[in-house]
Amino acid sequence: MSRFRVAVHIVPRKGILDPQGKAVSDALHSLGFDGVTDTRIGRHIVLHIAAPDAKAADAQVREMCGKLLANPVTEDFEIATVEAA
Amino acid sequence: MKFGIVTFPGSNCDYDSYHAVADVLGLPAVYLWHKSTDLEGVDVVVLPGGFSYGDYLRAGAIARFSPIMKEVAAHARAGGPVLGICNGFQIACEAGLLPGALLRNEKLQFVSDRVYMRVENADTMFTSRCETGDVLRIPVAHGDGRFTADEETLDRLEGEGRVIFRYVNADGVPDATSNPNGAMRDIAGIISAEGNVLGLMPHPERAMEELVGSADGRRIFESLLARVSA
């Protein structure tokens, strides 16, 4: 078993109204960042886990996202990084 | 008819629910601790409002894994009535007892107010003492009440008569200010396909006596009573 640090991004799914993201987009526009076309605000979760290898760590975290960390009805997730820890 | 009210860490409407059932209606009621695996022979399970597990991760996401929830799911599968109020609605959605999800209110503010909700289907065990089109005045108190589901699910809910309550104004019509949280299609409450699980954001258990401003919530509890006594 090796130790891994896995970071996951979880954001509201495309098409789901994200009022926080919209408010931030509006604020960025008022600052002159006209190029911002969308902002999504979600969660960033960092897990430290023991797994045989990086692929297994990645697979475990995907399963965790499906079962608990993300709501499959409204959220998408992506594994940002899997690093040896 | 015996009611079981589940207490999760962070539940805060369990006492209101108990008061509604035991003191106002004079029916047997017990608290069911979330770590218990025994429903103690109750006929109706109430998942009360509050902030179970501090709403950590998402409202209702952790409560769903409490030991009692396995028993609640089995009770629901067997056709037993489950009433999910506010946080209880969120828990029921997270547990897959009801479709959809409750997201942060559109205006990003916690809403504590009295709203009007229209009965969309009186042919259910929760609304038999109402008429379709009746308008009930019921309190809301939530930060995450925006009912959300994909269009296909929403169409199915509407088509199957499972949208039970919709936010409206005092005249019974949805308008620009009647929806307190931005819920899709003004949905305040839905039932399961089998009709025995109701989830709603407004708090009928806080509208049981004229003394507190409305007794309209009694009609939901009395509907349940009528069904089980029949």
Side-chain angles (χ1 to χ4, degrees), chain A residues 17 19 43 67-69, chain B residues 57-58 64-65 94 106 146:
Chain A
L17 173 67
R43 285 186 299 279
K67 288 185 172 170
L68 173 63
L69 302 179
Chain B
L57 196 62
R58 294 179 307 275
R64 160 195 166 201
F65 295 99
E94 284 282 345
E106 185 176 9
R146 176 165 49 106

Side-chain angles (χ1 to χ4, degrees), chain B residues 128-206:
Chain B
S128 60
R129 285 294 168 96
C130 308
E131 301 287 334
T132 298
D134 279 357
V135 176
L136 310 182
R137 190 162 192 239
I138 308 280
V140 290
H142 60 250
D144 301 85
R146 176 165 49 106
F147 183 74
T148 300
D150 59 43
E151 289 295 318
E152 189 189 332
T153 303
L154 293 170
D155 288 342
R156 194 175 70 241
L157 289 171
E158 304 249 23
E160 294 173 355
R162 291 167 55 193
V163 174
I164 302 305
F165 301 115
R166 214 183 293 272
Y167 300 113
V168 292
N169 63 21
D171 300 322
V173 183
D175 68 23
T177 59
S178 59
N179 181 336
N181 51 41
M184 295 178 104
R185 302 194 193 182
D186 299 312
I187 290 171
I190 58 170
I191 53 170
S192 59
E194 295 73 27
N196 61 309
V197 181
L198 168 67
L200 78 171
M201 288 313 297
H203 285 272
E205 84 287 9
R206 293 192 195 170

Side-chain angles (χ1 to χ4, degrees), chain B:
Chain B
M1 178 178 207
K2 185 174 167 188
F3 283 72
I5 297 143
V6 179
T7 300
F8 298 96
S11 293
N12 65 10
C13 296
D14 41 349
Y15 278 59
D16 302 68
S17 300
Y18 186 93
H19 173 73
V21 173
D23 301 332
V24 180
L25 299 175
L27 296 168
V30 289
Y31 292 111
L32 301 170
W33 183 236
H34 72 112
K35 282 190 172 164
S36 166
T37 53
D38 178 6
L39 292 187
E40 300 179 24
V42 303
D43 301 295
V44 180
V45 172
V46 179
L47 300 175
F51 300 86
S52 57
Y53 294 88
D55 276 353
Y56 294 168
L57 196 62
R58 294 179 307 275
I62 314 278
R64 160 195 166 201
F65 295 99
S66 280
I68 193 94
M69 285 305 293
K70 269 197 181 141
E71 306 308 317
V72 173
H75 170 80
R77 273 197 304 277
V82 177
L83 176 54
I85 302 167
C86 196
N87 190 221
F89 186 10
Q90 296 161 342
I91 294 167
C93 286
E94 284 282 345
L97 297 175
L98 291 170
L102 284 312
L103 301 186
R104 188 86 181 271
N105 294 348
E106 185 176 9
K107 300 249 166 75
L108 298 175
Q109 285 176 327
F110 190 94
V111 177
S112 179
D113 204 353
R114 287 202 183 91
V115 301
Y116 295 95
M117 63 180 198
R118 189 176 66 203
V119 177
E120 301 291 277
N121 180 359
D123 188 21
T124 79
M125 69 169 79
F126 302 96
T127 51
S128 60
R129 285 294 168 96
C130 308
E131 301 287 334
T132 298
D134 279 357
V135 176
L136 310 182
R137 190 162 192 239
I138 308 280
V140 290
H142 60 250
D144 301 85
R146 176 165 49 106
F147 183 74
T148 300
D150 59 43
E151 289 295 318
E152 189 189 332
T153 303
L154 293 170
D155 288 342
R156 194 175 70 241
L157 289 171
E158 304 249 23
E160 294 173 355
R162 291 167 55 193
V163 174
I164 302 305
F165 301 115
R166 214 183 293 272
Y167 300 113
V168 292
N169 63 21
D171 300 322
V173 183
D175 68 23
T177 59
S178 59
N179 181 336
N181 51 41
M184 295 178 104
R185 302 194 193 182
D186 299 312
I187 290 171
I190 58 170
I191 53 170
S192 59
E194 295 73 27
N196 61 309
V197 181
L198 168 67
L200 78 171
M201 288 313 297
H203 285 272
E205 84 287 9
R206 293 192 195 170
M208 298 292 286
E209 296 151 289
E210 290 298 345
L211 181 67
V212 294
S214 171
D216 289 351
R218 288 180 74 130
R219 297 174 55 194
I220 292 169
F221 287 90
E222 285 167 358
S223 297
L224 270 171
L225 262 178
R227 173 212 174 238
V228 176
S229 316

Side-chain angles (χ1 to χ4, degrees), chain A residues 11-26:
Chain A
V11 292
R13 175 162 303 156
K14 189 169 183 292
I16 298 272
L17 173 67
D18 175 9
Q20 283 191 88
K22 188 174 177 306
V24 169
S25 277
D26 292 348

